[in-house]
Amino acid sequence: MNSPGRHGAAYGMGAYLLWGIFPLYFRLLERSGAVEVVLHRILWSLLVCAVVLTAVRQWSVLRATLASARTVGVLGTAAVLLAVNWGTYIYGVNSGHVVEASLGYFINPLVTVLLGVVVLKERLRPAQWVAVGLGTVAVVVLTVDYGRPPVIALTLAVTFGMYGLLKNRVGATVGALASLSTETLLLAPLAAVGIVVLELRGQGHFADDAPWQALLLMTTGIVTVVPLLFFAAAARRIPLSTMGLLQYITPVLQLLCGVLVFGERMPLSRWLGFGIVWAALAVMTVDSLRTARIRSRAAPAAEPVPA
């Protein structure tokens, strides 16, 4: 692997490793409810984005993004989905459902493929249909196991899938930093009001166990922005197929956190459901790699012969 490729793989692994140990970090914020953590995460992420924008001199990029009403509209919708995703994940971690939260990111690729059919009217290859079918069976098995639909997992998968779909609509023109800056900027007024309301009602925890709880809430900005920048750096340096393989690091680590660190139960029926999900992902991954290889071989042949 060449130097850019090695650096890209390192950035990608860094991003997915950090996301993978999120349960350990957010469990430290347990005394603050999911809503309060999300509100602080929005404001402190905006502050970190502002520092990074200044450091890399990209305020003009943000201004150009905000000048497009269409882009702001798309990113505003994406921001709402992101806030719901953040809140659901934090609630899952701090209510003893880390394993179910990890399931959400295992099935996210399957939900993304399904959204492509429903929203974009894409046609799936046979192997992709097999993967989606296996994913559906897995959800049924896990519904029987839990005694209810895996709501946390499905909410995480659907909100993140729809978020990705919206980001793809502006991805070619808006980078990761400008995108997150816009999203947090749009949510910031509501977040600020929400924090004030919580504090006035005596339901805020920013001043608890001073200064540790405040410092933990303040670090949510760094914890949010750093892996995102690593991800953006990786995406520019390595193929999408490689990123697709690396993405499974995150839910694997989250699953291990749930089982080995927090002691969540994993009965045989639950392992069976997860096993079916992994089989679906294996089918889809093999199909994606084969398709990418075929396209790369066909690309030179499709180029016009110079006169």
Side-chain angles (χ1 to χ4, degrees):
M1 186 180 291
N2 58 25
S3 182
R6 284 196 299 271
H7 291 161
Y11 282 127
M13 289 188 67
Y16 288 119
L17 285 170
L18 288 172
W19 283 324
I21 61 174
F22 264 15
L24 303 178
Y25 170 76
F26 283 115
R27 185 59 67 93
L28 298 174
L29 287 161
E30 189 173 7
R31 74 173 62 199
S32 293
V35 172
E36 184 181 14
V37 176
V38 170
L39 296 178
H40 277 280
R41 191 176 182 183
I42 290 167
L43 289 182
W44 296 113
S45 294
L46 177 59
L47 177 61
V48 173
C49 285
V51 171
V52 177
L53 284 168
T54 302
V56 298
R57 300 180 180 180
Q58 285 193 11
W59 281 101
S60 59
V61 177
L62 179 60
R63 286 194 294 269
T65 301
L66 295 173
S68 169
R70 174 188 172 277
T71 300
V72 170
V74 172
L75 292 179
T77 306
V80 174
L81 290 169
L82 185 62
V84 173
N85 183 272
W86 284 355
T88 302
Y89 182 79
I90 295 166
Y91 169 79
V93 167
N94 289 333
S95 63
H97 295 91
V98 175
V99 169
E100 187 178 346
S102 75
L103 174 65
Y105 292 105
F106 274 123
I107 65 175
N108 174 249
L110 302 174
V111 170
T112 299
V113 168
L114 193 58
L115 285 172
V117 175
V118 175
V119 179
L120 302 179
K121 309 302 180 184
E122 294 178 350
R123 296 182 61 183
L124 297 188
R125 297 183 294 275
Q128 290 176 311
W129 278 118
V130 170
V132 171
L134 286 171
T136 303
V137 171
V139 170
V140 172
V141 170
L142 290 166
T143 296
V144 173
D145 170 73
Y146 281 110
R148 58 170 176 80
V151 177
I152 292 173
L154 292 173
T155 301
L156 289 172
V158 171
T159 53
F160 199 69
M162 293 179 67
Y163 175 77
L165 200 64
L166 289 171
K167 292 295 282 286
N168 282 340
R169 295 183 60 184
V170 297
T173 56
V174 182
L177 179 59
S179 178
L180 182 64
S181 299
T182 302
E183 291 158 11
T184 51
L185 180 62
L186 294 173
L187 293 174
L190 291 175
V193 171
I195 290 173
V196 170
V197 170
L198 287 176
E199 293 296 334
L200 290 177
R201 290 180 175 178
Q203 297 173 343
H205 297 84
F206 188 76
D208 289 5
D209 192 24
W212 306 115
Q213 189 70 8
L215 289 173
L216 280 170
L217 287 169
M218 291 167 68
T219 58
T220 54
I222 297 173
V223 167
T224 298
V225 176
V226 168
L228 177 80
L229 295 179
F230 281 1
F231 176 84
R236 291 196 300 268
R237 291 171 171 83
I238 57 178
L240 187 62
S241 57
T242 304
M243 293 294 289
L245 294 174
L246 290 175
Q247 72 177 325
Y248 298 121
I249 292 173
T250 292
V252 166
L253 286 177
Q254 292 175 355
L255 175 62
L256 292 175
C257 284
V259 176
L260 300 179
V261 179
F262 301 126
E264 294 186 19
R265 289 181 61 252
M266 280 292 287
L268 181 60
S269 54
R270 199 162 300 170
W271 280 116
L272 175 61
F274 270 78
I276 297 172
V277 170
W278 295 333
L281 293 174
V283 170
M284 194 168 70
T285 300
V286 170
D287 176 70
S288 297
L289 292 174
R290 184 174 61 231
T291 302
R293 188 165 55 247
I294 292 172
R295 287 175 178 171
S296 65
R297 289 174 179 173
E303 293 176 359
V305 178

